[in-house]
Amino acid sequence: MTRIIADISVSLDGFVTGPDPGPDNGLGTGGEALHTWAFSDDPEDRRILREATARSGAVVLGRHLFDVVDGPYGWDDRTGYGASEVGKPAFVVVTGSPPDAVRLTGLDWTFVTTGMADAVAVARERAEAASAAGGKDLDVVVMGGGTTVGSALDAGLLDALTLHLAPVVLGTGTPLFTGTTPRTLVRRDATLTSTATHLTYDIV
């Protein structure tokens, strides 16, 4: 069964970037602290990252995040999604219009211009195809940014929400939740590591 899971790192005060994020400063000032866990040697951090990327049949992201990861200071062989972990999933970008060019041509990109629900539907198809080919269940992961995750939650498209709660207060930046429709969450898992508290909630 393909599940739609949002997975994002967040500060204690609810921000997914620091102030002044942009293509040359994707996580904003101080925002690198949010992802310390992803580069940690803590065995539990490594397990969580490995298991999350291994179950990713397709990944949904917004256009702003795409512009960051595909920009000159974005992903490379060391920092890309699931780098050094498993084969790369399909990537589905929610956007008003496709970009003129893509730097990361070695990845499988699909650009959806008709909204979040259609992007998730395309990602589900890609994940289900990968599941059938690989003989195991794979998920759709909505990785961000914050507006994309919030939109998916607000539209009732998510089955689960995973938060990597970093022990940092950023003060300002990009908030994860703004005006989101109230939802009931049921905690499924909580793992405390040396760098973060990893929380997974099922969405009722």
Side-chain angles (χ1 to χ4, degrees):
M1 176 181 174
T2 300
R3 287 163 55 86
I4 314 300
I5 301 173
D7 189 309
I8 195 165
S9 299
V10 62
S11 69
L12 289 173
D13 52 346
F15 295 103
V16 296
T17 76
D20 302 318
D24 296 340
N25 187 29
L27 290 172
T29 303
E32 294 82 1
L34 296 173
H35 290 172
T36 298
W37 74 270
F39 300 96
S40 164
D41 292 328
D42 186 299
E44 280 296 282
D45 286 328
R46 302 311 305 166
R47 178 189 63 81
I48 288 166
L49 181 64
R50 181 176 62 253
E51 292 178 355
T53 54
R55 72 168 188 260
S56 301
V59 174
V60 177
L61 62 157
R63 178 58 185 270
H64 290 302
L65 181 54
F66 167 79
D67 288 340
V68 170
V69 302
D70 194 55
Y73 302 99
W75 286 351
D76 54 31
D77 291 339
R78 190 183 67 86
T79 60
Y81 187 92
S84 75
E85 293 294 337
V86 295
K88 302 299 186 292
F91 293 91
V92 178
V93 181
V94 189
T95 180
S97 60
D100 294 330
V102 175
R103 178 178 66 87
L104 297 169
T105 54
L107 299 179
D108 180 359
W109 297 102
T110 300
F111 298 91
V112 175
T113 60
T114 51
M116 177 64 66
D118 286 345
V120 169
V122 169
R124 185 191 294 275
E125 290 177 359
R126 302 299 299 274
E128 289 176 347
S131 294
K136 64 177 183 178
D137 289 338
L138 296 172
D139 298 325
V140 172
V141 177
V142 181
M143 68 170 288
T147 299
T148 300
V149 170
S151 295
L153 180 64
D154 196 45
L157 298 171
L158 298 179
D159 298 307
L161 173 65
T162 294
L163 300 177
H164 308 284
L165 188 62
V168 59
V169 174
L170 293 174
T172 186
T174 304
L176 177 56
F177 301 120
T178 55
T180 303
T181 300
R183 299 285 177 189
T184 299
L185 308 181
V186 177
R187 194 182 73 192
R188 176 157 52 91
D189 186 65
T191 302
L192 178 65
T193 72
S194 60
T195 61
T197 301
H198 306 277
L199 301 165
T200 296
Y201 298 91
D202 290 324
I203 299 174
V204 179

